[in-house]
Amino acid sequence: SCRTRAPDDPVTRGAGRQGPTDGDHGRLLTDYDTMRNRLQKDQYVEKRFRFDPGKGTVKEADDGDGRTRIRMPVSSTAEDRDGDEFSRDGLEDMKDQIDTGRVPMFLDHGRGADGPYYGTLGIVGRWDSAEIESEGDVDVLYATGTPATTEPAEKMVQLLEDDMPVGSSVGFRILEYERDEEENKYRFHGVDLLEISQVGIPSNPVTVNTGDD
């Protein structure tokens, strides 16, 4: 296997659902084997994670602004249900982008929101910071974010507080990856992190929420 920077070829992957391809409603490939074989640089990808009890928190911010903060594991180096994984470099790359405070929070990658797909009104918060924690042989990326005060965001926070099995999903474009031909898997080393969503059905086995205070 080797690290690869490949030509553009928009394809989507993740949890059996197709998302945007070349920016906005481009061509979709619906055959999963075809998608795996043609995964290349700049393709849009969704990778979903569900986390173990006790790992997610909902609390008031320490800075006294009265806003709610949520902290969730959003990715890891564990193999997901597609058979793929992020490297430690891939997690570090996403952490740096989250730490800018410019990564938006969506629900279900903008599906079902008011307005256009991935539109402004679909934003339910922002991600402020991230940390990587080692848990056994797996590195887990945790993100802390500030939900908006809109009704959809408040409903999402309520689900977390009610200990519902909310998952998380990163939506990104591939910048650097390698393909392991022997194990038929992809490993992502560098991405353009577009957004992180709360979702109902994630794909990574590492991650189930409790809304611990």
Side-chain angles (χ1 to χ4, degrees), residues 73-85:
V74 296
S75 189
S76 78
T77 55
E79 183 176 293
D80 62 31
R81 289 172 181 153
D82 299 325
D84 305 322
E85 61 191 40

Side-chain angles (χ1 to χ4, degrees), residues 5-128:
R5 289 184 176 272
D8 299 357
D9 185 14
V11 177
T12 66
R13 309 177 67 240
R17 294 288 300 275
Q18 273 69 51
T21 54
D22 192 15
D24 187 16
H25 302 299
R27 177 171 57 88
L28 299 178
L29 297 181
T30 57
D31 181 81
Y32 181 71
D33 291 333
T34 301
M35 289 191 286
R36 284 189 60 82
N37 291 333
R38 300 184 64 181
L39 183 62
Q40 296 184 16
K41 179 177 176 283
D42 280 345
Q43 292 168 2
Y44 177 89
V45 178
E46 296 170 5
K47 286 295 183 181
R48 305 181 176 196
F49 299 81
R50 190 186 301 273
F51 50 101
D52 295 332
K55 292 185 178 180
T57 59
V58 178
K59 63 180 181 179
E60 186 173 317
D62 296 332
D63 55 17
D65 67 359
R67 298 291 299 275
T68 296
R69 301 289 191 271
I70 64 172
R71 183 176 187 267
M72 301 175 65
V74 296
S75 189
S76 78
T77 55
E79 183 176 293
D80 62 31
R81 289 172 181 153
D82 299 325
D84 305 322
E85 61 191 40
F86 280 93
S87 66
R88 173 75 185 212
D89 286 347
L91 296 189
E92 294 280 2
D93 184 44
M94 289 193 289
K95 177 188 181 305
D96 290 343
Q97 295 177 67
I98 294 169
D99 284 342
T100 67
R102 296 194 293 268
V103 176
M105 183 186 302
F106 278 85
L107 297 179
D108 299 311
H109 300 289
R111 297 181 177 93
D114 292 336
Y117 191 77
Y118 271 154
T120 304
L121 295 181
I123 295 174
V124 296
R126 69 170 185 271
W127 296 101
D128 303 312

